[in-house]
Amino acid sequence: LGRCDLGNQLQEVIKAGAEIARQAADGKTFVVGSIGPTGELLEPYGSLTLQQAKAVFTEQSQALADGGVEGFFIETFTSLEEAEIAVGAAKQTGLPVACSFAFQPSGATVMGAKPRQIIERIAAAGAEIIGANCGIGPRQLFPIMEQFKELYSGLTIAQPNAGLPQLIEGKTVFPATPEEMAKYALRFRDLGINIIGGCCGTKPEHIRAMAKALRGR
């Protein structure tokens, strides 16, 4: 919002977004506040201080809580330090917090965070649910979630992209079909993952197929 000269309206904009989501949900589903990374690097790698990060995450979390969210998805993080700050800020509201990281096919984030480090530090920060979202498709994410289940007995979340993105004729295309996402939704469920969804490239038809496959299980 600061880049759009709307930084002084942060609380108003976020609170309104949460209120609109609650109205649309109409009591039929949960509404959670999604908080992603700042897009800046923390010191000493960048100019963002710990104090600045804590302040903006605290303001954002409180605005979402004031708008009526029932929990938080701290998601798409690559930096452990930044995620710890965001989780801590969200926990101050008293609402439940899920935290997930964007992995590369190598099994680590671009900042080098791996499942064992993530579990140890993010659980200590207070997140009730830990896992992965974005970055890669369900096939690449599955072995990473296997590591999570081997290392962690708590609640887990998996939200892969609809396949690895491809650039075709100048457009970003996500190749996974609804059927493929549904197949992996079952595999994640059989693995013991508690919350299953989709990230970039995931369309209503993907979610519909996944929900249909999982219903009754």
Side-chain angles (χ1 to χ4, degrees):
L1 289 173
R3 297 189 186 102
C4 305
D5 296 323
L6 294 172
N8 61 341
Q9 298 181 45
L10 183 145
Q11 290 184 343
E12 179 184 354
V13 170
I14 292 175
K15 183 173 180 287
E19 290 172 344
I20 290 168
R22 285 297 301 267
Q23 292 169 12
D26 194 26
K28 298 173 184 175
T29 187
F30 292 108
V31 174
V32 296
S34 170
I35 296 179
T38 61
E40 307 290 340
L41 291 175
L42 286 167
E43 292 180 336
Y45 305 104
S47 59
L48 183 67
T49 68
L50 294 176
Q51 292 75 18
Q52 288 172 327
K54 183 177 180 180
V56 72
F57 284 129
T58 297
E59 188 176 12
Q60 187 178 6
S61 298
Q62 192 57 57
L64 285 164
D66 290 344
V69 301
E70 298 163 276
F72 292 95
F73 279 3
I74 310 297
E75 55 186 348
T76 326
F77 277 75
T78 60
S79 162
L80 263 171
E81 292 78 11
E82 190 179 16
E84 285 175 318
I85 296 169
V87 169
K91 287 293 293 182
Q92 290 179 2
T93 66
L95 295 170
V97 176
C99 183
S100 59
F101 286 73
F103 284 87
Q104 301 180 98
S106 65
T109 73
V110 295
M111 297 295 287
K114 295 182 179 179
R116 185 179 295 277
Q117 301 167 294
I118 288 169
I119 290 164
E120 291 174 353
R121 291 175 59 175
I122 297 303
E128 287 91 352
I129 307 162
I130 304 175
N133 78 289
C134 202
I136 51 180
R139 181 171 62 83
Q140 296 81 19
L141 182 59
F142 190 82
I144 295 171
M145 295 313 302
E146 284 183 312
Q147 290 186 55
F148 271 94
K149 291 302 298 182
E150 290 171 2
L151 298 166
Y152 184 56
S153 61
L155 300 174
T156 47
I157 180 170
Q159 296 188 110
N161 287 346
L164 281 173
Q166 303 171 7
L167 193 63
I168 300 176
E169 297 181 355
K171 294 183 178 180
T172 301
V173 176
F174 293 86
T177 63
E179 291 75 21
E180 182 178 359
M181 292 289 278
K183 180 183 76 172
Y184 273 94
L186 288 175
R187 291 194 65 189
F188 284 127
R189 175 65 184 86
D190 292 342
L191 184 61
I193 305 303
N194 304 100
I195 297 179
I196 300 165
C199 202
C200 300
T202 306
K203 298 178 180 179
E205 51 264 37
H206 291 91
I207 296 295
R208 191 176 296 115
M210 294 163 73
K212 182 179 179 181
L214 291 168
R215 192 168 289 124
R217 289 175 176 254

